[in-house]
């Protein structure tokens, strides 16, 4: 097969897959649920931050990195750029999934070309592998579901392919191949950090091979790893605390809440293999596995040459199978289980199954040589049609359940989706797949709008702040499933307190309704958070006991004010006071806390340094300064600050603990025993202070 024909047929596979996807999106678009709307919001945020979408503009690198506190930004950056071209309706935004599917098909076909030789044998196999990937039910589902798993799968496949190319022993190690592999690994990690589950064993394999090779390959390894680290460093340095916290909640806490099987149990080890028939499809799976059995039998009987430099390239298949097994092993070791998490390994499995499909074609050709020109292709086409029918039926059943509702009408009535409108926040009490804070925010900010949704009602503490400060509230009537007692209390308060009035009622397709409520003109909201913030910030002077009231208030305020509008007036007022009186401690506490909340550790450190000078006998400005310096990746300076304060104030346990921990992080490993000894006492003192404040509040 000629190279031009191969490229044209590969493009045709992508066009046909895209046409099917667009048909699904046109007929069964529905409303994005929680996760889908969250990723759409992230794409919209990044598109605005790049200045590509209305309602935003370039505000610098730090502002851009602020938008990805838990998940790396590459996927959202590309998705946002696609939205700028295609449009921001969910079905239009899904064109980005077609882009990622194209990348996946290209990477799969490219990898398949490395598994067989010569090219005349490899190209038909590569087209077969690409067709199989386009027919797999799980990947078909990901092409019609706005999540990050398809970008992740595409980039991981690309990274493993390029790493395999670089590691090929019969080629001279190439700097171009090394750079391509490093960039592909960086791209995968910058889409989602769960790529580590597959790339850790892959990179470990690459390190072992490189160390056993010559100096040239070792130099390429060092440069490649440096390039990967430099690619990740800006995002990781800015967001490492929120990333660790988010990963802990998503992996450890979520696994415990959902009751996922343990990593050391038989059920846990069988969790992903039992999903394969649904994810791959019975036809693709059975034909592929039986073909692999046939291939193995023919190898053992000597009818087919084993993989070497002939048709099948041994090193390529060893790399593929090794990555499939090791990737499954590492993925299974993650405590949190979900059917989507195995997606990055599906192209590897499908490449292996494609070899089984190919073997049946070769067997048919040998069995009926008279019809060798058309019978194998006809048989494979019939099998592909059977696989496509199964995948189509699964997809139809899934998409029939896409969520519908009056979301767009509600958002429009609340003032969302209007270019140039003033920023607003809609408090969303119900949380259902067809209406929740995430999809309210997305629809409210389309076309340059500035309406965001925020969820309240999870605690009885939310009732009074909503009555005092909220402007718009959305309630639900009828069956909502399980509803918390606090949400019912908030619902009743909004209806009966006389603070809000009903604006409009919106029927739900499945029965019941949603109702939009607005604050009455004769009941103005109480003074804003900017008036109360300075007093809360001053409580930091008491140490950890001041943290609980601050962050509980901030948590609610960030729901009531989804745009954080209080920060501008609060900062301006504090700067005015500080210019008038440089000794104004409350102004400095205010600016320091604002910097902490905005993830600006250097600015926070400057304000805490000013407070150190004005409160020389108080340990907490120094302690807080050491903490924010650690957050800003400056452990040496953090250790110096804590040590100086300790000498001045008598070596208090918290300061000693910070000094020892920061010193260890800056390279003073001989202080590890000291850190191990003092840190538990320092943590105990902080926890006791927090418990004392909590008891006093209750």
């Amino acid at each position: 097969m000629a190279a031009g024909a191969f490229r044209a047929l590969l493009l045709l596979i992508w066009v046909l897959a895209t046409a099917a996807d667009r048909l699904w999106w046109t007929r069964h678009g529905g409303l994005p649920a929680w996760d889908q709307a969250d990723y759409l919001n992230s794409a919209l945020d990044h598109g605005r931050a790049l200045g590509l979408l209305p309602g935003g503009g370039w505000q610098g690198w730090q502002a851009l990195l602020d938008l990805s506190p838990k998940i790396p930004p590459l996927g959202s950056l590309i998705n946002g750029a696609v939205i700028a071209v295609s449009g921001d309706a969910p079905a239009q935004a899904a064109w980005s999934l077609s882009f990622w599917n194209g990348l996946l098909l290209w990477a799969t076909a490219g990898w398949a070309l490395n598994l067989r030789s010569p090219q005349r044998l490899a190209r038909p196999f590569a087209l077969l592998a690409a067709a199989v990937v386009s027919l797999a039910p799980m990947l078909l589902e990901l092409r019609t579901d706005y999540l990050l798993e398809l970008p992740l799968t595409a980039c991981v496949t690309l990274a493993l392919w390029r790493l395999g190319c670089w590691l090929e022993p019969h080629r001279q190690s190439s700097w171009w191949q090394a750079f391509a592999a490093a960039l592909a690994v960086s791209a995968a990690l910058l889409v989602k950090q769960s790529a580590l589950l597959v790339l850790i064993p892959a990179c470990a394999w690459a390190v072992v091979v490189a160390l056993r090779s010559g100096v040239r390959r070792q130099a390429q390894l060092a440069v490649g790893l440096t390039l990967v680290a430099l690619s990740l460093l800006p995002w990781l340095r800015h967001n490492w605390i929120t990333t660790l916290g988010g990963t802990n909640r998503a992996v450890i806490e979520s696994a415990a809440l959902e009751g996922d099987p343990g990593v050391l149990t038989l059920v846990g080890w069988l969790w992903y293999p039992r999903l394969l028939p649904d994810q791959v499809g019975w036809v693709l799976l059975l034909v592929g596995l039986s073909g692999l059995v046939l291939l193995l039998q023919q190898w053992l009987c000597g009818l087919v040459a084993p993989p070497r430099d002939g048709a099948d390239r041994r090193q390529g298949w060893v790399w593929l199978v090794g990555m499939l097994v090791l990737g499954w092993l590492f993925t299974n070791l993650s405590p949190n289980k979900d059917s989507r998490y195995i997606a990055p390994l599906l192209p590897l499995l499908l490449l292996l199954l494609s070899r089984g499909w190919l073997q049946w074609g070769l067997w048919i050709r040998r069995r009926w040589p008279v019809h060798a020109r058309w019978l194998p292709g006809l048989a494979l086409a019939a099998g592909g049609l059977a696989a496509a029918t199964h995948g189509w039926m699964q997809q139809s059943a899934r998409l029939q359940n896409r969520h519908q509702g009056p979301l767009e009408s509600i958002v429009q009535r609340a003032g969302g989706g209007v270019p140039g409108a003033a920023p607003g926040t809609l408090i969303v009490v119900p949380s259902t797949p067809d209406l929740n804070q995430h999809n309210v925010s997305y629809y409210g900010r389309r076309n340059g709008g500035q309406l965001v949704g925020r969820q309240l009602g999870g605690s009885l503490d939310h009732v009074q702040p909503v009555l005092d400060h909220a402007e718009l509230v959305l309630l639900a009537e009828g069956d909502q499933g399980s509803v918390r007692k606090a949400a019912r209390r908030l619902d009743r308060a909004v209806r009966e307190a006389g603070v809000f009035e009903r604006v409009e009622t919106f029927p739900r397709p499945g029965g019941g309704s949603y109702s939009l409520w607005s604050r009455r003109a004769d009941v103005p909201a109480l003074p804003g958070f900017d008036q109360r913030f300075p007093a809360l910030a001053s409580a930091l002077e008491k140490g950890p006991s001041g943290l609980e009231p601050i962050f509980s208030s901030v948590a609610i305020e960030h729901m009531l004010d989804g745009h954080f509008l209080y920060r501008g007036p609060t900062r301006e007022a504090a700067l005015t006071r500080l210019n008038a009186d440089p000794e104004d401690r409350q102004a400095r506490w205010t600016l320091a806390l604002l910097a902490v909340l905005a993830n600006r550790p250097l600015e926070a450190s400057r304000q805490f340094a000013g407070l150190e000078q004005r409160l020389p006998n108080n340990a907490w400005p120094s302690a807080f300064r050491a903490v924010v310096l650690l957050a800003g990746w400056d452990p040496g300076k953090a250790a110096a600050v804590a040590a100086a304060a300790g000498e001045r104030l008598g070596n208090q346990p918290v300061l000693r603990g910070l000094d020892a921990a920061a010193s260890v992080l800056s390279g003073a490993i001989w202080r590890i025993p000291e850190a191990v000894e003092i840190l538990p006492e320092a943590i105990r003192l902080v926890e006791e202070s927090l418990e004392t404040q909590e008891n006093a509040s209750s």
Side-chain angles (χ1 to χ4, degrees):
M1 178 183 292
F6 167 72
R7 297 189 188 99
L9 289 173
L10 182 60
L11 178 62
L12 179 62
I13 293 174
W14 176 79
V15 169
L16 292 175
T18 301
D21 298 342
R22 299 317 303 172
L23 178 63
W24 291 119
W25 278 104
T26 301
R27 296 180 58 187
H28 305 289
L31 295 172
W34 295 282
D35 289 349
Q36 293 83 351
D38 202 16
Y39 290 126
L40 282 167
N41 275 310
S42 181
L44 190 64
D45 286 334
H46 286 79
R48 286 183 167 189
L50 293 175
L52 301 176
L53 294 171
W58 178 255
Q59 297 180 358
W61 285 107
Q62 283 197 322
L64 180 65
L65 294 173
D66 286 339
L67 301 176
S68 50
K70 300 175 184 177
I71 295 178
L74 181 60
S76 294
L77 287 169
I78 294 177
N79 292 344
V82 172
I83 288 176
V85 177
S86 65
D88 59 9
Q92 295 171 328
W95 274 104
S96 63
L97 298 176
S98 299
F99 165 80
W100 293 114
N101 184 50
L103 179 62
L104 174 60
L105 293 178
W106 175 64
T108 302
W111 196 344
L113 290 175
N114 282 1
L115 296 176
R116 288 177 65 78
S117 62
Q119 290 291 295
R120 63 181 179 82
L121 297 178
R123 286 171 183 153
F125 173 64
L127 292 175
L128 174 64
V132 167
V133 166
S134 67
L135 293 175
M138 182 62 184
L139 297 176
L140 179 59
E141 176 182 337
L142 293 180
R143 300 203 315 258
T144 52
D145 212 1
Y146 205 93
L147 299 166
L148 279 184
E149 268 60 38
L150 185 60
L152 174 66
T153 301
C155 289
V156 166
T157 304
L158 177 65
L160 293 177
W161 167 38
R162 299 317 309 172
L163 275 172
C165 291
W166 177 62
L167 291 174
E168 284 187 1
H170 64 277
R171 293 182 181 177
Q172 184 181 9
S173 56
S174 163
W175 281 102
W176 180 88
Q177 296 283 12
F179 279 119
L183 289 175
V185 169
S186 300
L189 293 173
L190 283 171
V191 167
K192 203 173 183 182
Q193 58 264 49
S194 57
L196 286 168
L197 296 174
V198 181
L199 294 182
I200 284 177
C203 291
W205 186 313
V207 168
V208 171
V209 171
L211 292 179
R212 296 172 62 184
S213 304
V215 175
R216 179 184 176 89
R217 194 183 294 271
Q218 293 172 11
Q220 292 169 357
L221 173 68
V223 172
L225 292 176
T226 302
L227 180 60
V228 172
L230 291 176
S231 301
L232 294 173
L233 188 61
W235 169 77
L236 188 60
R237 179 173 182 176
H238 190 79
N239 294 303
W240 70 276
I241 295 177
T242 51
T243 298
L244 289 176
T247 302
N248 175 67
R249 286 190 295 273
V251 176
I252 307 299
E253 296 180 9
S254 180
L257 289 173
E258 296 171 4
D260 290 332
V263 292
L264 299 181
T265 64
L266 180 61
V267 175
W269 286 103
L270 296 177
W271 206 93
Y272 289 114
R274 69 181 179 84
L275 299 175
L276 290 180
D278 286 333
Q279 293 188 329
V280 174
W282 280 108
V283 176
L284 291 177
L285 188 62
L286 292 179
V287 174
L289 288 177
S290 60
L292 292 173
V293 172
L294 176 64
L295 177 62
L296 180 61
Q297 180 188 17
Q298 293 180 344
W299 281 349
L300 295 177
C301 294
L303 299 178
V304 178
R308 53 176 185 270
D309 294 333
D312 289 299
R313 300 170 68 174
R314 183 180 65 85
Q315 185 64 31
W317 288 104
V318 169
W319 171 254
L320 173 71
V321 174
M323 289 303 96
L324 180 60
V325 173
L326 291 174
W328 168 75
L329 176 64
F330 274 69
T331 301
N332 198 78
L333 291 175
S334 174
N336 193 20
K337 303 289 192 297
D338 190 277
S339 60
R340 306 196 312 259
Y341 297 165
I342 200 67
L345 295 176
L346 289 182
L348 285 69
L349 176 62
L350 293 170
L351 277 166
L352 189 60
L353 294 176
S354 297
R355 183 60 183 88
W357 276 71
L358 177 65
Q359 191 60 30
W360 278 117
L362 298 175
W363 180 83
I364 292 172
R365 176 178 294 176
R366 285 191 296 269
R367 180 69 176 80
W368 292 283
V370 176
H371 308 292
R373 300 190 66 176
W374 59 269
L375 188 57
L378 179 62
L380 292 177
L385 181 61
T389 302
H390 175 72
W392 190 274
M393 293 174 61
Q394 277 190 262
Q395 182 79 334
S396 297
R398 184 181 69 87
L399 293 181
Q400 291 296 333
N401 297 321
R402 278 279 172 93
H403 311 294
Q404 304 292 335
L407 171 62
E408 197 161 3
S409 299
I410 292 171
V411 168
Q412 289 177 353
R413 189 67 179 87
V418 178
T425 302
L426 173 60
I427 303 302
V428 184
V429 178
S431 182
T432 60
D434 63 291
L435 195 147
N436 52 75
Q437 61 172 331
H438 302 298
N439 56 25
V440 166
S441 292
Y442 185 72
Y443 276 80
R445 297 187 304 138
R446 286 181 56 195
N447 304 316
Q450 298 290 348
L451 179 72
V452 298
R454 291 294 182 264
Q455 181 87 39
L456 283 174
S459 169
L460 294 176
D461 294 337
H462 297 172
V463 175
Q464 196 57 48
V466 168
L467 296 178
D468 290 342
H469 302 287
E471 294 291 341
L472 290 168
V473 183
L474 187 66
L475 305 178
E477 295 80 29
D479 183 19
Q480 304 173 54
S482 177
V483 181
R484 292 183 179 182
K485 178 181 177 181
R488 292 196 299 269
R489 179 78 63 85
L490 177 56
D491 182 289
R492 188 166 59 251
V494 170
R495 297 177 190 275
E496 300 175 357
V499 175
F500 296 92
E501 57 186 1
R502 188 190 298 258
V503 176
E504 191 174 338
T505 300
F506 305 85
R508 299 171 65 187
S513 61
Y514 294 114
S515 57
L516 179 64
W517 296 71
S518 176
R519 178 174 291 276
R520 290 173 50 179
D522 58 344
V523 186
L526 294 183
F529 194 54
D530 57 308
Q531 302 296 315
R532 295 175 285 126
F533 189 89
L536 285 170
S538 296
L540 287 173
E541 197 166 311
K542 304 174 184 177
S545 62
L547 293 175
E548 196 280 330
I550 290 173
F551 289 109
S552 61
S553 298
V554 167
I556 296 176
E557 179 61 25
H558 284 185
M559 295 293 104
L560 294 168
D561 176 9
H563 295 277
F564 312 146
L565 298 177
Y566 73 90
R567 290 183 178 177
T570 303
R571 178 177 174 79
E572 291 299 323
L575 288 173
T576 299
R577 292 180 56 180
L578 200 60
N579 288 333
D581 180 10
E583 301 298 320
D584 191 327
R585 300 203 307 268
Q586 187 181 73
R588 289 196 179 275
W589 284 116
T590 299
L591 293 171
L593 182 56
L594 285 173
V596 169
L597 295 174
N599 191 17
R600 299 293 184 267
L602 294 181
E603 170 62 21
S605 173
R606 284 194 292 269
Q607 298 303 331
F608 285 130
L611 288 163
E612 280 185 298
Q613 298 176 5
R614 287 154 183 81
L615 294 168
N617 297 321
N618 189 327
W620 295 115
S622 300
F624 290 139
R625 186 183 177 200
V627 169
V628 297
L629 286 170
L630 283 173
W633 287 33
D634 194 352
K637 193 170 183 179
V641 168
E647 293 177 2
R648 187 175 71 249
L649 299 170
N651 290 323
Q652 297 185 16
V654 172
L655 294 173
R656 288 175 56 204
L658 287 169
D659 176 21
S663 297
V664 170
L665 292 174
S666 63
I669 58 175
W670 57 88
R671 297 193 63 180
I672 290 179
E674 179 186 354
V676 171
E677 178 185 356
I678 191 60
L679 279 176
E681 182 182 357
I683 293 172
R684 180 183 59 80
L685 291 174
V686 171
E687 289 177 344
E688 287 179 355
S689 179
L690 292 172
E691 290 175 2
T692 301
Q693 175 60 33
E694 185 176 342
N695 294 333
S697 301
S698 59

